[in-house]
Amino acid sequence: MATLSDPPRESFHLSQLLYDTRYRSITIQVIAFILIMAAFVFLARNVVINLSALGKDFDFGFLGSRAGYDINQRLIEYSNESTHGRAAIVGILNTLLVAFLGCIVATILGVIAGVLRLSKNWIVSRLMSVYVEGFRNVPLLLWIIVIFAIMTESTPGPRDFRGADPEASMLLGESVAITNRGIFIPAPVWGDGALLLVGVFIASLVGIWAFRRYARKRQEATGDILPVFWVSMGLFFVPVLVVYFAYSAAIARDQYPILAVGAEQGVTLESYVADNGNPSICALPSTAGVNLSSALRALGERASITRVSTEAELLEAVQSGDCILATVSPELAESFPGTLDGIEMVALSDTVDRGRPLQFERPQLAGFNFEGGVQLRNSLIALWFALSLYTGAFIAEIVRAGILSVSRGQTEAAFALGLRPNRTMNLVILPQALRVIIPPLISQFLNLTKNSSLAIAVGYMDVRATLGGITINQTGRELEGILLMGLFYLALSLLISAVMNLYNNSVKLQER
Amino acid sequence: MSETHSETATQAYVRTEMLSEQPAPVSQTGAVKWIRENLFSSIGNSIMTILSVAFIAYVLIGIMPWMFGGVWNAGSLAECRTVLGAFGGDGHSGACWAVIEDRWRQLVFGFYPQEYYWRPVLTFVLLGVALAPILFSDWVPRQLMIFSVLFPFVAVWLIWGGSVWVPMLVVASFGVGYLVYRLAATVVFTGLAVGLAIVATFLWWAFAVGAIDSRINAAVGAPRYDSAVAELEARLAALPEEVATAEALVESIAAEEAEVIADRDATVSQIMEGASNVPELQDELLAYQRTLTDVRNRQSEAARALTVVNAELSDGQRLLDQYLTLPALLESLPELRENVANAQGDDVAAAEAALSGAQERIDSIYSVLGRVGLPPVQSREIGGFLLAFILGVSGIVLSFPLGILLALGRQSDLILLKMVSVGFIEVIRGVPLIVWLITASLLLNYFLPPGTTFDLVLRVVIMVTLFASAYMAEVIRGGLAALPRGQYEGADSLGLNYSQSMRLIVLPQALKISIPGIVSTFIGLFKDTVLVVFIGLLDPIGFSNSIRADTDWNGVYWEIFIFIGACFFVFCYGMSQYSQYLERKLATGHR
């Protein structure tokens, strides 16, 4: 019988804190904690002392005060009367805008270049290598400046488009103008029936979703394969186009009268504007207004359009003198003179088209610049293209690596099973390649977003230029401004990382 | 058998002799086969080939005449255009490479004093020597690693100049740290010994380096005093004459330049008026331009010599004045010490301030007198690619130890260290470098004790180091993760403790795997160094802006951009090729 000796009594010595591995980790962490806290206290104390020495405090109240500077590129209403907080939001939206546009173009470029770089065509693959290596090995800032220089120095000025034999001409059927002040493209204008169009579009999206669901169920049940792609494409385009053209054919040629303040009965538009140059106009629907303003531009006049969305707003605009020309439906026009007190509106002899449900307002040369349409400023174009081309080169490498990572055996096995090349691509290669491609792709999107802070080089008003630039200079709140800006970028990248992790988990290989 | 044979032989339609071997069809060999397979294998491929060739031809036709028809010798854009005009083109028909010829020094070295260009160049060469044992470990003896370790100190000393004592004392600090570690390791466990060694090193930096440096300076400087004063006085007496000579030289060269310009203009107007012998006149014009460039180079050399002499004169005068105060200062020291000893109440602070002020002035005089080393260069004089290199290399080198610590911290079981490491890495990586640079230039002073200021380049180096260390940590973490689990377990089963297993087993392998990642981090960082232009440092892009703002070169941009882009491309592409070579090499080792 073995006699069990008592286990040695647990006793604790201070030296165990250093020499016993069970306690040592706690000791190290406590010491590290104390050191880190000490460092924080040291930094915080310095900040407090330095701030008080400068007579400043730590206060975010400046976000509510008047900004007093203009931002030429904005997605929401903003004027120099707005607050610094609103300027920061305008900047944030501009950052997100250029990041979003950049990510789309960079992905398209990157996928094309990555696939072509693997092409068997020697010259094409070499050309793509030149693109990829050229952009990867030169600083992004240089590319931004170069593209900005091309845009401002090598493109024609608006006045070159003038005259009988102009030096420059517009592209794509007189609808796009590339000038040294930016690129002017047509602007979409929603007219009557736009709601119906949008409704039909949403309905067809639902239809596509339902059809794909049905097709999958049916394939699982019976093995029949329905032509999903073609049906989806058909559902996507056909209903919307049918509604659009039907609606256009039915109403677009309706003639709407032009009402003018202080005109004589039956006067033509031409002779009216001869007396009232550069009139301000308002219209319901807006497409009729666009037609009216292009009619005016054809007469060499510049119209300033006051946007109105309801009848009441239109009446108010007319009464307050915001517009002296108005286009409305004939029914409304008949009730007009009675409803306005003191202002007499008379129908001119000319009329304008009512307009299609969705119409594009083309930029037109007026005075020294183009008017109408959307102006994409050089700063936006340079930043957008440079970011896209630069990130596209990196994405091309990611795509190439992803495709190469799927071994040839996979393709051969799929062929051996009798799958056709396109099904092999869709069912075998892409799912495996995407698992390799997507995570680094998203981190490239993140890089693009962070790199958009180089907007400063071309004067694009992103969050760094508004909150981290002019606002800081005006208010002297470096600490608060840079802190907020850093938090914005940090939150954005943590958000994107979280999305990436979710995706990674969902496509992770299910192992034992 | 033979019967059937003879039977077939008699039949007329059977061939009796072998055909000689034919060469393969043209379409199946050589260039034709290659072209058919690689360029025209299908209709789509053919279309792409034709489009690509058309695109390449279009680009080359557009660029080549401009690039190779450029002007290399001119003093301004207007002169470039005159020359191009004389050759029958307009201002845009050829490049004006003269701007590069005129300004490459600034783009490469910034305002670094021209007579010391050899210092950064030597540093660059030594950088290659220092990197060789790391990058090409197969062919270079390992003993050179000692030089790699010492290189950072040599580089700082070469570029910024000053006495050799400070870098040597800093090197010595690591010796001190090692000594403390060896002594402490015999008494306490390793971790604590390392901690003590680090504390000792910091203490050495904080208290010993400055004190020992000033002692050495005083010891070297005191005996030199009399001869230095005499030498300086003699030099100051001789300098005015040199200034006059230099001024005369500058003037005579200016006259010479004016003459050549007059001749050149006469030739241009002859060409413009349609002289009969235009080609000869054009050659003559080019010759004049070359002469002009020579003359101008001599002129700028002479002008530089003049400013150097002038600066020497004014600096020398100031230095002499300082020297002459030294005996009085030294004499006043005992009295000031006595004052401090006798002072009471409020006077103590004032007396101490007077003493330390005098001591400081003496130290600064001795630091000039007792300098054994190179003349110092200010940080603000460093610019161009030199600055980009300094920032890139120091960012990577300094971030290396920090990156290893962060990577280990991120893998650690100690929850607090892990949290701190992850937080640091994510915060640094989540915010763009440009925001960190603005922080360095605007905010860093808020976080330092009041009254501390140090120069912008150093602040940027610190920020770039912190930034790079987060990226480095992720690269090294990748290396640690790529190491098979068996290596960690093997180290544990041998009974090695944490630091031993990391030092001897894990890190050597993990770092080797990480080298390609480290190289690509370096490429990224090197390209990102151009962002310092936004906080007012003069990197290549900053200089390109200032050159374009110059009246001589206003309107030039492609030439400068092409030069800067080509320089970056050569370095970055070279490095990325190296890292690909390394990846291939390492990949075979692990298969």
Side-chain angles (χ1 to χ4, degrees), chain A residues 18-19 24-25 28-29 32-33 36 42-43 46-47 49-51 54 56 116 120-124 127 133-134 136-139 141-142 145-146 149-150 153 390 394 450 453-454 456-457 464 478-479 482 485-486 489-490 493, chain B residues 34 38-39 45 48-49 52-53 55-56 187-189 414-417 420 426-427 429-432 434-435 438-439 442-443 445-450 471 527 530-531 533-534 541 548 557-558 561 564-565 568-569 572-573 576:
Chain A
L18 284 181
Y19 293 103
R24 194 196 280 167
S25 70
I28 292 175
Q29 296 202 58
F33 183 74
I36 291 165
F42 174 71
L43 294 179
N46 286 338
V47 169
I49 293 174
N50 284 319
L51 279 177
L54 290 169
K56 289 182 180 177
L116 286 185
K120 286 201 195 86
N121 190 321
W122 183 83
I123 201 161
V124 170
L127 209 54
E133 297 299 343
R136 270 159 53 99
N137 291 310
V138 173
L141 182 60
L142 196 62
I145 298 176
V146 164
I150 296 177
E153 311 277 345
Y390 183 78
F394 286 86
K450 284 191 286 173
S453 57
L454 293 186
I456 184 178
R464 207 223 63 82
E478 302 95 46
L479 198 56
I482 294 179
M485 182 169 58
Y489 281 114
L490 192 60
S493 61
Chain B
W34 186 88
N38 289 296
L39 299 180
N45 242 337
M48 286 214 293
T49 304
S52 311
V53 171
F55 174 75
I56 294 169
V187 187
V188 292
F189 72 96
L414 308 179
I415 187 78
L416 180 78
L417 290 188
V420 171
E426 292 303 324
V427 167
R429 279 160 47 96
V431 177
I434 188 167
V435 175
I438 295 172
T439 310
L442 291 179
L443 289 192
N445 278 346
Y446 281 112
F447 294 105
L448 296 173
Y471 285 82
K527 284 188 297 172
V530 297
L531 300 192
V533 65
F534 296 129
I541 291 194
R548 288 163 65 199
Y557 44 100
W558 292 120
F561 290 155
I564 297 174
F568 270 109
F569 182 83
C572 297
Y573 187 69
S576 77

Side-chain angles (χ1 to χ4, degrees), chain B residues 135-384:
Chain B
L135 299 186
F136 302 100
S137 48
D138 294 356
W139 302 304
V140 181
R142 285 185 64 83
Q143 286 76 12
L144 262 180
M145 282 293 268
I146 297 169
F147 178 72
S148 308
V149 173
L150 289 179
F151 170 74
F153 306 100
V154 177
V156 168
W157 176 66
L158 273 177
I159 288 176
W160 274 275
S163 279
V164 290
W165 311 121
V166 178
M168 281 168 76
L169 287 169
V170 174
V171 173
S173 73
F174 293 101
V176 169
Y178 183 69
L179 214 63
V180 170
Y181 167 74
R182 289 310 292 263
L183 286 178
T186 57
V187 187
V188 292
F189 72 96
T190 324
L192 192 62
V194 169
L196 287 176
I198 292 173
V199 171
T201 312
F202 274 109
L203 287 178
W204 175 267
W205 283 346
F207 297 108
V209 172
I212 296 178
D213 180 46
S214 61
R215 292 283 150 72
I216 297 176
N217 280 336
V220 177
R224 284 186 184 176
Y225 180 74
D226 290 333
S227 63
V229 169
E231 210 173 279
L232 195 57
E233 275 171 347
R235 181 90 188 111
L236 283 176
L239 271 173
E241 202 174 315
E242 279 188 27
V243 171
T245 325
E247 274 170 355
L249 184 63
V250 169
E251 267 169 38
S252 77
I253 296 178
E256 199 179 328
E257 188 197 2
E259 247 170 62
V260 180
I261 288 178
D263 290 351
R264 195 263 329 259
D265 287 349
T267 314
V268 169
S269 55
Q270 275 182 10
I271 294 175
M272 288 305 167
E273 283 155 13
S276 53
N277 53 344
V278 169
E280 285 151 40
L281 286 174
Q282 282 174 345
D283 286 348
E284 209 171 293
L285 171 61
L286 288 185
Y288 277 132
Q289 287 297 137
R290 274 195 292 276
T291 321
L292 259 185
T293 307
D294 285 347
V295 171
R296 281 181 183 136
N297 284 345
R298 273 193 289 137
Q299 189 181 26
S300 64
E301 190 71 18
R304 201 173 57 77
L306 181 60
T307 45
V308 167
V309 183
N310 270 327
E312 200 184 342
L313 190 58
S314 61
D315 290 352
Q317 198 60 54
R318 215 174 48 233
L319 198 61
L320 186 61
D321 293 347
Q322 275 185 10
Y323 281 174
L324 294 179
T325 60
L326 186 64
L329 277 170
L330 285 174
E331 265 172 38
S332 70
L333 270 186
E335 192 190 330
L336 286 170
R337 287 213 185 90
E338 210 170 299
N339 282 351
V340 171
N342 296 340
Q344 283 171 349
D346 295 344
D347 297 341
V348 176
E352 276 175 356
L355 178 61
S356 66
Q359 193 65 53
E360 256 171 45
R361 285 170 65 188
I362 292 172
D363 283 351
S364 78
I365 293 171
Y366 273 138
S367 74
V368 181
L369 257 182
R371 186 169 62 220
V372 179
L374 301 165
V377 173
Q378 301 298 316
S379 283
R380 61 170 184 279
E381 293 174 305
I382 295 170

